[in-house]
Amino acid sequence: MKLFSFNKKNLSLLVLIFAANLSFGQATNRVISFFPPDTRLYGNIPYANDTLKKHLLDIYIPANTKAEMPLVVWIHGGAWMLNDKYADMSYMKKTINAILNNGFALASIDYRYSTTAIFPAQIQDCNQALEFLYKHASKYGYNKDKVALIGFSAGGHLASLLALSHNNHIPSFYAPNTHKSFKINAVVDFYGPADFLATLKPQENEPNDAISTLLGASPIERPDLAKTASPASYIDKNDPPFLIIHGEKDASVPPNQSKLLSSWLTLNKVQNEVIIVKDAPHYGEMFDESYIKDKIIVFLKGHLQ
């Protein structure tokens, strides 16, 4: 099975994902209405000391909360080449409200598209954004030492890679003159690819698929790059706990990717749980059902509070 391949079926899916998260004539922040009333927004904060549009983040602070609240960092999907820091929120409104209503701050980050800068630019951006959030915690009122990640699809891949590689010394994953002072306490991974080599076959080599675009080469031709960019490559016993959620009928990222990630985590004695959502596709409101939302909140409270 192809991951994010640009055949007609999956290209149509990517277009739908993009359309689902795009509002024409958008205001400064087109998703603030999804949040609880009186949520404080700090929008379009530059995190990399430059003027790149893709180096911005938003911070949402719940009303009437105590200081030193935990922080959840949202990493959007879109095949590493679509969408922005508002993406995936349109079908996750219940979960967003639950996160804020339970006393968590939320930050959503942008990162450079693979069509502009190939890997490892995306993980460099994520690491830089997390370091910025760590260093500026006192300014916004959240606890820099209680941080969880939540990522969707390509964002799930980046969230997993960010957390799992953090214990490893990978200089290329960090922009020049940046550090990794922050700690990640937990990860919620929605249908992110975990191992780019696990399901690929030679006949599936397509130079314009999303993974090849991300890496700048086909995984078949450059398995070294594919391994370097795969979250599963970095699992060890010191990694944070994972809650992994995947659709049973995902046509873009096979559910076995999440099952494989869970198995590797279990073998390394890392706490994890995988939920396969019956009949669910690659994204959508089926992932915002109450039982999943409640599971996420219990997971976050268990590891951040």
Side-chain angles (χ1 to χ4, degrees):
M1 181 179 290
K2 305 179 183 68
L3 296 177
F4 295 112
S5 171
F6 281 138
N7 56 34
K8 291 182 179 179
K9 181 177 180 180
N10 283 342
L11 181 57
S12 297
L13 176 62
L14 290 175
V15 171
L16 285 172
I17 294 172
F18 184 66
N21 292 289
L22 180 63
S23 296
F24 293 98
Q26 67 187 50
T28 301
N29 184 296
R30 66 176 183 266
V31 298
I32 189 62
S33 63
F34 302 163
F35 287 75
D38 301 321
T39 296
R40 282 180 286 148
L41 166 66
Y42 299 92
N44 292 322
I45 304 168
Y47 65 77
N49 198 30
D50 59 28
T51 59
L52 288 182
K53 184 179 179 181
K54 287 299 176 184
H55 282 168
L56 300 175
L57 59 80
D58 296 332
I59 299 173
Y60 303 86
I61 303 294
N64 303 317
T65 57
K66 299 178 181 178
E68 296 292 295
M69 70 199 82
L71 175 68
V72 178
V73 180
W74 186 284
I75 307 179
H76 74 82
W80 306 280
M81 64 176 69
L82 294 170
N83 293 331
D84 55 28
K85 54 189 165 69
Y86 309 122
D88 303 295
M89 293 185 177
S90 63
Y91 61 85
M92 296 296 293
K93 297 175 186 177
K94 295 176 185 177
T95 300
I96 288 171
N97 274 266
I99 289 172
L100 274 288
N101 286 334
N102 279 275
F104 299 97
L106 188 144
S108 184
I109 67 176
D110 264 331
Y111 53 86
R112 285 171 287 173
Y113 289 160
S114 60
T115 50
T116 301
I118 61 172
F119 188 87
Q122 295 69 35
I123 196 65
Q124 288 179 352
D125 291 350
C126 290
N127 272 306
Q128 201 162 7
L130 264 291
E131 185 67 13
F132 176 92
L133 290 165
Y134 178 87
K135 289 181 176 179
H136 294 83
S138 60
K139 178 177 180 179
Y140 300 105
Y142 53 81
N143 190 329
K144 67 181 181 180
D145 296 316
K146 294 184 177 181
V147 177
L149 307 179
I150 181 169
F152 300 80
S153 192
H157 160 264
L158 291 172
S160 298
L161 184 62
L162 181 65
L164 295 171
S165 67
H166 192 63
N167 293 329
N168 297 265
H169 182 63
I170 316 292
S172 64
F173 283 12
Y174 299 86
N177 302 314
T178 59
H179 305 282
K180 57 172 185 176
S181 310
F182 61 89
K183 178 183 177 181
I184 298 166
N185 301 90
V187 181
V188 181
D189 169 20
F190 279 88
Y191 38 85
D195 187 337
F196 289 148
L197 294 173
T199 62
L200 299 180
K201 299 177 182 178
Q203 62 267 31
E204 293 176 345
N205 178 21
E206 293 188 8
N208 63 343
D209 69 24
I211 295 174
S212 297
T213 302
L214 174 70
L215 301 178
S218 163
I220 297 300
E221 297 169 344
R222 291 296 306 273
D224 57 328
L225 293 178
K227 183 176 181 180
T228 298
S230 294
S233 301
Y234 303 101
I235 296 172
D236 62 56
K237 65 180 181 179
N238 298 313
D239 290 325
F242 271 66
L243 177 61
I244 307 165
I245 305 163
H246 211 121
E248 180 187 35
K249 296 186 177 179
D250 192 327
S252 291
V253 179
N256 277 347
Q257 286 281 306
S258 284
K259 294 177 182 178
L260 179 62
L261 177 61
S262 176
S263 294
W264 277 118
L265 290 168
T266 299
L267 286 170
N268 283 273
K269 302 186 183 332
V270 178
Q271 181 181 339
N272 74 93
E273 180 179 356
V274 60
I275 300 171
I276 302 300
V277 183
K278 182 175 175 57
D279 294 329
H282 185 58
Y283 76 103
E285 292 184 355
M286 292 180 74
F287 295 99
D288 200 32
E289 293 289 340
S290 293
Y291 79 97
I292 298 176
K293 172 199 61 140
D294 294 345
K295 178 75 75 171
I296 291 170
I297 297 304
V298 169
F299 176 76
L300 293 175
K301 284 184 174 181
H303 297 291
L304 295 182
Q305 291 185 343

